[in-house]
Amino acid sequence: MRYAIPLLILGVLLAFFAVGLQRDPRVLPSPLIGKAVPAFELPVLALPKAESPPLSMGNAAFAGKPYLVNFFASWCAGCQVEHPYLMQLAKQGGVTIVGVDYKDADDDVRQWLAARGNPYAPILVDLDGRAGIDFGVYGVPETFVVGADGRILHKHVGALTPEAFARDVKPLLGAGS
């Protein structure tokens, strides 16, 4: 009996490891999938040479059409990787990309966007990270697909690539994207 208990514990641990090795570490389940997007009202980042933006915007401004919510930051290496593809998506049109500048200084993100271009319409500022907490953000970049009905359809963790967009995002946006 005294040998059976350690063997049983070892068997349980091996089963957990076997299951863990089968899972994709980039897939982080979100309890928000299928639920309404968290209500948010965030300041809008004012950019040079742009029309005067509203002081703040919330999810109500995007009701009735699908959109992406992309949490990013100027200090984020993965954001630098995905940025050229977001620029390409913005040029193609078809989907609104709402940028949420996550825990970043306004001047830093302005410089970052001036050097790389701005794919976002608009850029909202989440300086204290509260909106990120409401969305369940683990780290940046993370992109959420929000349907026209205001429900979160998908969460993409890490840099959004053309392959991931075609496989996971585009089918959720419909044929017009």
Side-chain angles (χ1 to χ4, degrees), residues 87-98:
M87 289 296 295
Q88 181 182 339
L89 280 177
K91 285 179 186 171
Q92 291 172 354
V95 64
T96 299
I97 306 171
V98 177

Side-chain angles (χ1 to χ4, degrees), residues 66-97:
Y67 60 98
L68 304 180
V69 178
N70 178 257
F71 284 83
F72 77 101
S74 65
W75 45 261
C76 163
C79 301
Q80 294 174 24
V81 170
E82 81 175 352
H83 197 80
Y85 184 63
L86 294 179
M87 289 296 295
Q88 181 182 339
L89 280 177
K91 285 179 186 171
Q92 291 172 354
V95 64
T96 299
I97 306 171

